[in-house]
Structures are given as C-alpha cells and as structure tokens.
Amino acid sequence: MSIPQGGIFALGTASHAYLEFDAQPGRGEDLVGTISALREPRTTMGGVNLVAGFRPELWREVTPDDAPVEIEGFNESLVGIDGLVMPATQRDALLWLSGSAYDVIFDTAREAIAELDGLASVADETSSWPYRHDRDLTGFIDGTENPTLIDAPEIALIPEGKPGAGGTILLVQKWAHDAAAWESLPVARQEHVMGRTKLDGVELDDKAPESHVGATNQERFGKIFRRNMPYGTVTDHGTMFVGFAAEQRRLAAMLESMAGATDGVRDALTLYTRPISGAYYFVPSTESLQRRIGVAGSEMA
C-alpha cells in the first residue's frame, strides 16, 4: 500500500511556510530528484513536516509511469462574472513546511533553499499561523465540512491501482481580505454571506445560493480535505487556501462555482476577499519520492 507524505494530515501545527519554486532552464528533472531527497528533520524541540509537490506536467515528464494523466497545472486564469478573476500563478514545485514553532520552520526553509541553489529560484514565499484556534481572519470557524482524519485519506488520496496511487492533487490559492469592508458588516450580514452562524459555525437552514456554503457545496462537487491557514501582516493579510483531493475536478468545479462561471451566481464572499495566486501541484507518495531518488542516483553513477 502506498504511503502518503505525512505532513498532509499533520493537524495542530502552529507555524507554516509555503515556498514555491521556478526551475532553472533545463534543470526540472534535477529539481525533482533533489526535492525528493529532502528529509524531514527531527529535533528535541519538535519536528518539521515537509510536504513536496510538483507542477503536474513536470512530474509527468520526469515520471511518466507514476503520474495521473488527467491533472494539469493552473495554467490559465479563471474568469468569472462581474470582473472576478482567479489568477494563474503556476510554479514548478512547492515545499510546504509546518511545525511547532517558526524558528525551526525558518531554519529548515533556509536549508531547503540552499539545497536547491542552482536548480531553482524562490518565486513566492508565504508564512502562516493559526488564528483563535480554528478560525480564519473573517472570525468564522474554518473547515467545518472537513472530514475526520479517519475519512480524510479516502477523500484526498488517489486510490491503489491508479497511476500516482497514494499521492494527491493540491490546490494552493492566496486570498487577500478587505478587512475594513468585511468588519463594517453587521454579524447578521456576515452570516448571510457565509451561510453559517459566526459563533459556532452552524449551517443556516435558509442559506442563500450565493452564500459561501452554497457556492462550495461539497455534496455537489465532491469532498475535499482542507488545511487552510491565515497569512500576512496586520495591514495586509488573508487566507492561504490549501485543498487536497483525489480528483482535480472536485477542486476545479468548486472554483468555477465560486467565480459564477457555472450558473452565473458568484460567491458573495468574493466581494470581500480576492484571489491573488493559484496553482495546482501533484504531491507524490513517499514511495514515489524514494523511487525518484533511486533513479536520480543511478543517473549520476
């Protein structure tokens, strides 16, 4: 049985960093091999979880027999209604680090960047942290529809017998919040926009189709596993959307619905938060990474 990268399901971590890389010309295969060889450190003060993902086309080029054929990068911006655009900012690789404290994340990230020197450049770097235990910066509980850790692997991981088994499709988007506009709304209006109560996250019986819950209904599009985190500074902040699924279509359909591209009904939450990045990554199983190390080693011998 293929084993997924452990950090995908490592809940409860207090500090996160997302590093996205562009490969140097002609060094894509070397980049995949070097990232595959990175190891999660262990310290007496707590470990660092390291999740590695690759642009689907790059992974398929390097490892054609172990790549889902139906997935592709976020290569074109998604244009919705009323001027909403979800920009495509696809990169070649992603490292997502999470751990107990930012100092170990900081040191591990620097070490990883040093290992990739000459192979890739850092295209984007984002740091994240939890807010009031399980809330996002809107003040609402985040991930209320998330599956339990017992059910999450079945939802997030590509099943055995298929190319890429044990891996997962990851969607990463950075959403910048208009905090002033959002916080000017009365709580009742915020709840209408969300489709849930603010205090305890209970779904409204009379939620509107344009509510966030209505636009992202997983009963319609399929279940996903989310690991969202707040990001940014006091004056410039938002939500780092981190979503995993066994099928890319679940994620793509959700975005199309939010943008109003499906039925002309735009997610009301997008009036107060806007996407400023978007990328898909294939996150291989640990066995796939180990096999890639072996191939790279034999090529160097």
Side-chain angles (χ1 to χ4, degrees), residues 63-84:
T63 314
D65 295 334
D66 192 25
V69 296
E70 71 278 8
I71 71 171
E72 59 184 16
F74 204 132
N75 300 319
E76 295 184 3
S77 297
L78 172 58
V79 179
I81 64 172
D82 301 328
L84 175 61

Side-chain angles (χ1 to χ4, degrees), residues 32-39 289 293:
V32 172
T34 301
I35 287 180
S36 298
L38 293 174
R39 282 293 177 266
L289 295 177
I293 297 170

Side-chain angles (χ1 to χ4, degrees), residues 41-202:
R42 294 288 182 262
T43 72
T44 57
M45 297 300 290
V48 173
N49 301 297
L50 178 62
V51 174
F54 304 95
R55 177 169 54 85
E57 294 86 351
L58 174 59
W59 179 259
R60 185 178 301 121
E61 175 186 339
V62 172
T63 314
D65 295 334
D66 192 25
V69 296
E70 71 278 8
I71 71 171
E72 59 184 16
F74 204 132
N75 300 319
E76 295 184 3
S77 297
L78 172 58
V79 179
I81 64 172
D82 301 328
L84 175 61
V85 177
M86 296 188 181
T89 58
Q90 185 67 50
R91 306 300 183 180
D92 290 313
L94 166 80
L95 292 180
W96 167 34
L97 301 95
S98 62
S100 59
Y102 188 68
D103 55 354
V104 292
I105 298 295
F106 179 85
D107 288 341
T108 305
R110 291 192 65 205
E111 292 169 6
I113 292 171
E115 287 289 328
L116 301 179
D117 184 42
L119 301 177
S121 58
V122 177
D124 191 69
E125 172 189 354
T126 305
S127 298
S128 293
W129 28 266
Y131 178 71
R132 297 189 181 181
H133 181 59
D134 58 359
R135 296 179 184 268
D136 65 24
L137 296 181
T138 65
F140 281 72
I141 299 171
D142 196 14
T144 55
E145 293 190 59
N146 239 9
T148 67
L149 287 181
I150 295 175
D151 297 326
E154 183 177 355
I155 289 169
L157 302 180
I158 296 171
E160 295 296 323
K162 292 189 175 183
T168 182
I169 296 97
L170 166 61
L171 169 63
V172 176
Q173 282 184 304
K174 195 183 300 184
W175 289 77
H177 289 198
D178 185 344
W182 177 254
E183 291 167 0
S184 70
L185 300 178
V187 170
R189 176 56 186 167
Q190 292 181 358
E191 292 179 336
H192 179 84
V193 169
M194 282 292 191
R196 289 187 277 113
T197 59
K198 189 169 187 177
L199 180 62
D200 47 14
V202 175

Side-chain angles (χ1 to χ4, degrees), residues 245-285:
E247 299 171 341
Q248 186 176 28
R249 186 58 200 158
R250 301 177 196 172
L251 297 161
M254 180 188 65
L255 295 188
E256 291 166 3
S257 175
M258 292 178 67
T262 304
D263 54 10
V265 179
R266 174 178 169 178
D267 186 339
L269 185 59
T270 63
L271 299 174
Y272 306 95
T273 178
R274 62 184 177 85
I276 57 177
S277 71
Y280 287 108
Y281 295 98
F282 176 61
V283 179
S285 69

